[in-house]
Amino acid sequence: MINRAFIHITGQPGEGKTTLIEAALASMPYENLFCVHAARESTLREPKEITSRNDPHLTRYDKAGAVYSMLYRFPAEGFHDSTDFYESVTISDYSDIIFIEEDSPL
């Protein structure tokens, strides 16, 4: 069993969510920290895990010291099972803390 903290940060664009995560990452350099930028997408039927290094959020997380980061996109409408999130490749791996920015897939 993996014992870790999930920290969900949400708010309006430009309010400093990513900056707050960067500061948290910098203050805990010896922890095994993951970052997830999660968002609902109306065009999806199934959740999608994306690890593109071209995304500005992932670039910022990585530069700030995240061990791993991903984009997690999930359906906006209908039934969404949070099991999909817990069984994603990133979340299945060990971490001490997972920061989730934007929408909550839980």
Side-chain angles (χ1 to χ4, degrees), residues 8-106:
H8 179 219
I9 300 169
T10 188
Q12 297 298 316
E15 288 187 335
K17 298 176 297 295
T18 306
T19 302
L20 176 63
I21 292 171
E22 288 172 319
L25 291 169
S27 72
M28 298 180 265
Y30 304 108
E31 300 294 326
N32 194 13
L33 308 171
F34 287 7
C35 293
V36 176
H37 190 272
R40 298 178 196 282
E41 285 192 14
S42 60
T43 59
L44 292 179
R45 289 184 176 202
E46 299 288 325
K48 188 162 71 169
E49 182 176 0
I50 306 161
T51 57
S52 168
R53 302 321 327 149
N54 296 327
D55 181 81
H57 286 96
L58 300 188
T59 300
R60 287 179 69 179
Y61 298 151
D62 293 346
K63 284 182 180 178
V67 171
Y68 195 82
S69 59
M70 76 165 175
L71 302 174
Y72 186 77
R73 301 299 183 247
F74 57 99
E77 300 292 327
F79 180 75
H80 170 67
D81 185 357
S82 62
T83 303
D84 294 324
F85 178 70
Y86 287 115
E87 291 177 350
S88 67
V89 174
T90 302
I91 304 307
S92 297
D93 206 355
Y94 176 78
S95 62
D96 296 310
I97 299 172
I98 297 178
F99 293 96
I100 303 171
E101 183 176 354
E102 288 297 339
D103 297 327
S104 176
L106 309 176

